């Protein structure tokens, strides 16, 4: 099926309003992306362009850029979210469980939700056996944390026209691979319907800090503006504000200071609830919105 067949057009003005727990106006969904960058492959992202414009392997400089996030940046996240009592969703490559076990253990101890982010950081279009790739990720994460993920975020949000069918066949309940709405919605698959949770490009540090190369203070300002509008609209219908984060970007000192400022601002506002993807999924299904 093509995306428009899986996701029939549905104007937000023609749907019944949703009501968040406790009458909150905005649910903030924090998604921390934890990945393994295989030194034998081209790096998923680059900050340093290769000399003479000719990519070479191994790409140690850009590998090390990502490695900083896993060695240092992510621990700033842990400290911040512990201080504010926020439980994020960890979107992890299955291989993270083997390569960075201390991070997985810390996230598990803090009660983070784990969702599968593929088994390794590579586009789904390059995966020859998608069902096996999905299963390996789910099995590995379950073995490490004791629970099987119900959510999925593909590496780079990539997919083929068949990927959602494979996800549903694997027993996954929701996907974050779409940025088409402010509310959860249903996606059709050949194995029944799945929920799509409202992910985002506009509050994603990849697009804001990595691709657009904005300064950290811009991420704070954009976050405040995003929240202000959603909070206003949330007085009449529930809104979800996703904030996808990557330790090698937002975990850099000059950016983290603004990330902390943003979260402290959000936590101080009335009508805000911080939820994991699983909590948003359960709430949405519990609201009885027809599949």
């Amino acid at each position: 099926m093509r995306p428009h067949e899986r996701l029939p057009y549905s104007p937000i003005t023609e749907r019944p309003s949703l009501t968040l727990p406790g009458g909150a106006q905005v649910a903030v969904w924090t998604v921390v992306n934890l990945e393994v960058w295989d030194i034998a492959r081209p790096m998923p992202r680059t900050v340093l362009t290769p000399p003479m414009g000719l990519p070479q392997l191994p790409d140690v400089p850009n590998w090390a850029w990502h490695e900083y996030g896993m060695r240092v940046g992510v621990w700033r996240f842990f400290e911040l979210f512990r201080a504010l009592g926020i439980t994020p969703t960890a979107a992890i490559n299955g291989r993270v469980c083997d390569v960075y076990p201390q991070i997985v253990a810390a996230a598990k101890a803090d009660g983070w939700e784990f969702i599968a982010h593929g088994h390794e950081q590579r586009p789904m279009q390059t995966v020859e056996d998608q069902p096996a790739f999905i299963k390996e990720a789910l099995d590995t994460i379950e073995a490490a944390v004791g629970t099987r993920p119900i959510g999925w975020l593909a590496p780079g949000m990539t997919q083929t026209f068949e990927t959602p069918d494979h996800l549903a066949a694997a027993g996954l309940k929701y996907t974050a691979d779409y940025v088409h709405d402010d509310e959860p919605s249903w996606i059709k698959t050949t194995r029944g319907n799945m929920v799509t949770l409202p992910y985002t490009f506009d509050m994603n540090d990849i697009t804001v800090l990595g691709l657009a190369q904005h300064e950290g203070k811009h991420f704070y300002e954009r976050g405040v503006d995003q929240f202000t509008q959603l909070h206003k609209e949330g007085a009449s219908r529930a809104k979800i504000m996703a904030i996808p984060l990557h330790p090698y970007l937002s975990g850099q000192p000059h950016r983290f200071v603004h990330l902390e400022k943003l979260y402290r601002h959000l936590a101080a506002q009335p009508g805000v609830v911080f939820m994991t993807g699983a909590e948003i999924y359960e709430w949405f299904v519990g609201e009885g919105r027809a599949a």
Side-chain angles (χ1 to χ4, degrees):
M1 282 185 276
R2 300 299 193 261
H4 69 276
E5 296 171 317
R6 296 188 185 278
L7 283 162
Y9 177 62
S10 172
I12 196 168
T13 54
E14 296 181 5
R15 304 177 216 152
S17 297
L18 294 167
T19 303
L20 283 166
Q25 294 166 243
V26 179
V28 177
W29 178 33
T30 300
V31 184
V32 177
N33 289 256
L34 301 173
E35 303 162 353
V36 173
W37 287 16
D38 191 338
I39 192 64
R41 299 176 181 271
M43 293 296 99
R45 309 281 175 189
T46 59
V47 66
L48 183 66
T49 56
M52 310 300 291
L54 299 174
Q56 301 290 335
L57 294 179
D59 184 354
V60 175
N62 287 303
W63 174 88
W65 174 52
H66 169 267
E67 187 72 2
Y68 176 90
M70 305 304 273
R71 288 172 175 255
V72 182
V74 71
W75 302 104
R76 295 188 174 111
F77 290 178
F78 279 115
E79 183 176 356
L80 172 62
F81 296 135
R82 286 168 183 160
L84 296 179
I86 294 171
T87 304
T89 292
I92 72 169
N93 296 156
R95 287 187 61 200
V96 168
C97 300
D98 299 322
V99 180
Y100 305 107
Q102 295 95 328
I103 296 176
V104 175
K108 179 182 177 182
D110 285 1
W112 290 24
E113 177 198 13
F114 291 88
I115 66 173
H117 191 35
H119 188 62
E120 57 187 7
Q121 196 66 10
R122 55 183 294 198
M124 293 300 289
Q125 293 92 334
T126 68
V127 177
E128 293 183 2
D129 188 343
Q130 288 193 42
F133 183 78
I134 294 166
K135 183 178 185 300
E136 187 173 18
L138 296 175
D139 288 349
T140 303
I141 296 168
E142 182 179 20
V145 304
T147 56
R148 197 167 186 82
I150 67 168
W152 172 269
L153 172 66
M157 300 173 64
T158 55
Q159 61 180 277
T160 65
F161 291 136
E162 297 75 31
T163 302
D165 302 321
H166 299 316
L167 299 178
L172 288 156
K173 303 298 183 183
Y174 77 82
T175 176
D177 286 340
Y178 297 83
V179 295
H180 66 292
D181 214 306
D182 282 344
E183 300 176 354
S185 54
W186 292 97
I187 181 173
K188 297 178 181 178
T189 81
T190 57
R191 301 295 292 267
N193 292 331
M194 290 181 66
V195 170
T196 67
L197 296 192
Y199 205 61
T200 180
F201 290 148
D202 289 83
M203 278 305 301
N204 191 321
D205 62 1
I206 285 285
T207 52
V208 180
L209 304 177
L211 300 179
Q213 289 290 296
H214 288 301
E215 295 181 359
K217 63 183 178 181
H218 177 82
F219 194 77
Y220 164 76
E221 293 167 355
R222 181 184 290 214
V224 170
D225 289 344
Q226 181 92 340
F227 172 80
T228 298
Q229 182 62 28
L230 292 177
H231 190 263
K232 175 183 175 181
E233 296 172 354
S236 58
R237 64 182 311 128
K239 294 289 182 173
I240 311 297
M241 179 175 171
I243 307 179
L245 302 173
H246 299 73
Y248 61 93
L249 287 168
S250 294
Q252 298 288 344
H254 64 100
R255 292 172 177 146
F256 180 79
V257 65
H258 299 287
L259 181 71
E260 180 175 6
K261 184 179 177 183
L262 172 61
Y263 269 93
R264 291 193 179 279
H265 172 80
L266 297 177
Q269 305 309 305
V272 179
V273 60
F274 293 89
M275 301 175 73
T276 65
E279 289 170 338
I280 296 171
Y281 167 80
E282 294 292 346
W283 158 74
F284 177 68
V285 173
E287 281 279 301
R289 182 65 67 85

